[in-house]
Protein backbone atom coordinates (compact mmCIF):
# COMPACT_ATOMS: atom_id res chain seq x y z
CA UNK A 1 0.00 0.00 0.00
CA UNK A 2 1.01 3.60 -0.20
CA UNK A 3 2.08 3.67 -3.82
CA UNK A 4 -0.89 2.12 -5.57
CA UNK A 5 -3.88 2.60 -3.29
CA UNK A 6 -4.40 6.35 -3.85
CA UNK A 7 -5.70 6.12 -7.46
CA UNK A 8 -8.06 3.26 -6.58
CA UNK A 9 -9.20 5.17 -3.49
CA UNK A 10 -10.13 8.12 -5.71
CA UNK A 11 -11.97 5.80 -8.10
CA UNK A 12 -13.90 4.21 -5.23
CA UNK A 13 -14.71 7.59 -3.69
CA UNK A 14 -16.21 8.72 -6.99
CA UNK A 15 -18.30 5.57 -7.33
CA UNK A 16 -19.47 5.14 -3.75
CA UNK A 17 -19.42 8.53 -2.00
CA UNK A 18 -20.09 11.30 -4.51
CA UNK A 19 -23.45 11.95 -6.17
CA UNK A 20 -22.23 11.51 -9.74
CA UNK A 21 -23.61 10.02 -12.93
CA UNK A 22 -20.92 7.35 -12.68
CA UNK A 23 -22.22 6.29 -9.28
CA UNK A 24 -25.78 5.93 -10.50
CA UNK A 25 -24.76 4.05 -13.64
CA UNK A 26 -22.35 1.65 -11.92
CA UNK A 27 -23.93 -1.69 -11.12
CA UNK A 28 -20.89 -3.92 -10.79
CA UNK A 29 -18.76 -4.93 -7.85
CA UNK A 30 -15.50 -3.22 -6.90
CA UNK A 31 -13.31 -5.51 -4.84
CA UNK A 32 -10.27 -4.24 -2.99
CA UNK A 33 -7.86 -6.73 -1.46
CA UNK A 34 -5.48 -4.71 0.67
CA UNK A 35 -2.39 -6.46 2.00
CA UNK A 36 -0.30 -5.08 4.84
CA UNK A 37 2.05 -6.64 7.41
CA UNK A 38 0.15 -5.43 10.50
CA UNK A 39 -3.20 -3.76 11.19
CA UNK A 40 -1.32 -0.58 12.05
CA UNK A 41 -0.39 -0.33 8.38
CA UNK A 42 -3.96 -0.14 7.11
CA UNK A 43 -4.42 3.08 5.17
CA UNK A 44 -7.77 4.87 4.88
CA UNK A 45 -9.64 2.20 6.88
CA UNK A 46 -12.21 4.68 8.23
CA UNK A 47 -12.83 6.03 4.75
CA UNK A 48 -13.24 2.54 3.28
CA UNK A 49 -15.62 1.61 6.11
CA UNK A 50 -17.71 4.70 5.31
CA UNK A 51 -17.81 3.69 1.64
CA UNK A 52 -18.98 0.21 2.58
CA UNK A 53 -21.74 1.62 4.81
CA UNK A 54 -22.74 4.03 2.06
CA UNK A 55 -23.16 1.22 -0.49
CA UNK A 56 -25.24 -0.83 1.94
CA UNK A 57 -27.65 2.08 2.42
CA UNK A 58 -27.98 2.90 -1.30
CA UNK A 59 -29.69 0.09 -3.15
CA UNK A 60 -29.18 1.62 -6.61
CA UNK A 61 -25.39 1.79 -6.60
CA UNK A 62 -22.94 -1.03 -7.18
CA UNK A 63 -21.39 -3.24 -4.58
CA UNK A 64 -18.14 -2.70 -2.72
CA UNK A 65 -16.17 -5.52 -1.17
CA UNK A 66 -13.01 -4.92 0.87
CA UNK A 67 -10.82 -7.71 2.23
CA UNK A 68 -7.72 -7.18 4.32
CA UNK A 69 -4.74 -9.54 4.17
CA UNK A 70 -2.71 -9.06 7.35
CA UNK A 71 0.43 -11.12 6.87
CA UNK A 72 2.36 -10.84 10.14
CA UNK A 73 -0.37 -11.19 12.72
CA UNK A 74 -1.46 -14.74 11.96
CA UNK A 75 -0.31 -17.50 14.25
CA UNK A 76 0.00 -21.22 13.83
CA UNK A 77 -2.83 -23.08 15.61
CA UNK A 78 -0.51 -25.93 16.62
CA UNK A 79 2.20 -24.08 18.56
CA UNK A 80 1.12 -20.41 18.34
CA UNK A 81 4.19 -19.43 16.31
CA UNK A 82 4.19 -17.23 13.24
CA UNK A 83 3.18 -18.78 9.97
Amino acid sequence: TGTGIAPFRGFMHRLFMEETVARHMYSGTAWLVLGVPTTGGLLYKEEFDAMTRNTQMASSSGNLKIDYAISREMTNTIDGGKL
Side-chain angles (χ1 to χ4, degrees):
T1 60
T3 57
I5 192 63
F8 195 69
R9 174 183 161 237
F11 165 74
M12 288 181 13
H13 194 274
R14 184 145 178 108
L15 285 181
F16 302 113
M17 297 299 285
E18 298 175 7
E19 290 297 326
T20 61
V21 174
R23 177 180 180 172
H24 295 288
M25 293 180 65
Y26 185 71
S27 61
T29 299
W31 186 8
L32 171 65
V33 179
L34 186 61
V36 293
T38 62
T39 53
L42 289 173
L43 299 175
Y44 314 115
K45 181 164 179 14
E46 294 83 15
E47 188 174 344
F48 292 147
D49 291 344
M51 289 179 193
T52 303
R53 283 191 304 272
N54 210 20
T55 59
Q56 292 170 349
M57 291 188 299
S59 59
S60 62
S61 63
N63 295 317
L64 175 61
K65 182 177 180 181
I66 300 176
D67 289 322
Y68 299 104
I70 314 297
S71 63
R72 301 218 175 133
E73 292 183 3
M74 294 177 61
T75 56
N76 189 333
T77 56
I78 297 171
D79 62 5
K82 287 187 177 183
L83 291 177

